[in-house]
Amino acid sequence: MKKNSFKINVYDAGDVASISVACKLASKTLDYLESQVRVGVTTKRLDELCEKFILDHGGIPACKGYQGFPASLCTSVNSVACHGVPDDVPLQDGDIINLDVVVNLNGWHGDTSRTFPVGTVAQRHLDLINIARKAMYVGIEAIKPGSRFNDIGIAVSRYINSKKGFCLIKEFCGHGIGRQMHEEPLVLHFPISKSTSLIEPGMCFTIEPIVSCGSSNTIQMKDGWTMVTTDRSFASQFEHTIFIDEEYRPNILT
Ligand code: MF3
Ligand code: CO
Ligand code: CO
């Protein structure tokens, strides 16, 4: 592993193989949890299942204890934009829930999240989920030889802005990942005016836009974690960890 002039880690093939195994476990954990999402299940139960699944597969749930986070899984229901703390409230028909998993396997991290519908969900909220998923893929597909991080932000925000009634929550961003859950750089989902780094082979980072169908701002709940949209409109997020190969192509690891 070496660092470029912008302090972004550049990983060799062996490192990427290790990160990839961690990412595969994170993704498998989400597949498993998806099968457990239903009306009546509590987010605490999903958290327990998540922790057991990761430990049973030789990993460590990286969120637990991260800056004091109390659980293995972020469970963000309805108007919770992100960092929802699992609790004893059962999921209800019509809810949407984002599950965000970070696995540490042999000292390497994989980070991924998806939003799932619970029972029968309003069409507007199904639209929200589909727009959030597509926004992530638009960001991934924006990466070409010669791209800068700003090109991801341009593409994601242009896509979301084309959807009337939906907006990007700019307060949260993607990030480099590897030995640490959060590394340089910040991966913004909107453009900035100052110059950003070139995206180069060996870089490993997440793209994880959060889309709201109302307010683009959030407030933190008293638990110090749960971030809720100010107008309590629903929000949805998807996240992949990707790495950039020698041909400058984004490879989805999760
Ligand atoms: N998974 C989140 C991310 O996408 C981070 C979770 S914060 C934690 O970056 F405290 F829950 F770990
Ligand atoms: Co992340
Ligand atoms: Co995450």
Side-chain angles (χ1 to χ4, degrees):
M1 189 251 287
K2 54 185 194 192
K3 285 185 198 295
N4 73 3
S5 54
F6 298 93
K7 290 185 297 195
I8 300 171
N9 292 332
V10 173
Y11 293 106
D12 65 28
D15 300 333
V16 172
S18 301
I19 295 169
S20 179
V21 183
C23 286
K24 292 291 168 291
L25 178 54
S27 178
K28 264 181 58 179
T29 306
L30 273 187
D31 293 343
Y32 166 66
L33 292 174
E34 177 174 20
S35 75
Q36 304 300 313
V37 169
R38 63 181 68 114
V39 173
V41 74
T42 66
T43 49
K44 263 221 173 103
R45 178 74 186 141
L46 294 173
D47 176 52
E48 289 163 8
L49 294 170
C50 174
E51 178 162 338
K52 183 170 186 333
F53 189 90
I54 293 171
L55 292 172
D56 285 349
H57 289 80
I60 298 167
C63 288
K64 196 153 195 175
Y66 181 84
Q67 293 183 9
F69 190 76
S72 297
L73 179 68
C74 293
T75 56
S76 301
V77 178
N78 296 344
S79 60
V80 179
C82 62
H83 303 163
V85 177
D87 62 19
D88 291 315
V89 181
L91 294 180
Q92 291 183 29
D93 192 48
D95 285 349
I96 66 171
I97 181 169
N98 174 277
L99 300 179
D100 193 333
V101 174
V102 190
V103 165
N104 173 337
L105 189 66
N106 303 320
W108 297 94
H109 292 81
D111 184 3
T112 184
S113 88
R114 304 176 202 152
T115 304
F116 304 109
V118 182
T120 309
V121 168
Q123 186 58 49
R124 178 165 177 72
H125 295 145
L126 294 176
D127 292 345
L128 170 69
I129 291 172
N130 288 329
I131 290 166
R133 185 191 302 103
K134 181 76 191 286
M136 175 190 65
Y137 283 113
V138 164
I140 295 170
E141 285 157 16
I143 299 168
K144 305 277 188 257
S147 290
R148 292 179 178 275
F149 281 95
N150 221 25
D151 294 308
I152 297 171
I154 292 168
V156 173
S157 65
R158 181 188 293 144
Y159 170 72
I160 298 170
N161 290 338
S162 77
K163 299 292 173 185
K164 203 167 169 294
F166 299 90
C167 61
L168 173 72
I169 296 183
K170 292 176 160 183
E171 296 160 8
F172 303 95
C173 57
H175 49 89
I177 185 166
R179 285 283 185 194
Q180 310 296 322
M181 182 195 308
H182 291 147
E183 300 185 352
E184 296 286 325
L186 297 178
V187 180
L188 303 181
H189 305 106
F190 57 93
I192 56 171
S193 54
K194 60 174 209 207
S195 106
T196 58
S197 301
L198 278 169
I199 298 175
E200 289 174 17
M203 289 181 177
C204 216
F205 55 90
T206 72
I207 297 181
E208 49 178 307
I210 307 177
V211 180
S212 162
C213 55
S215 172
S216 62
N217 294 102
T218 64
I219 50 162
Q220 192 178 68
M221 298 291 96
K222 288 209 191 75
D223 61 19
W225 282 103
T226 307
M227 303 302 298
V228 177
T229 59
T230 51
D231 63 357
R232 302 302 193 267
S233 54
F234 284 21
S236 171
Q237 181 179 30
F238 285 79
E239 172 177 26
H240 272 313
T241 297
I242 66 170
F243 105 94
I244 306 303
D245 69 18
E246 292 302 317
E247 280 71 51
Y248 291 80
R249 279 187 303 246
N251 287 236
I252 297 173
L253 300 179
T254 39

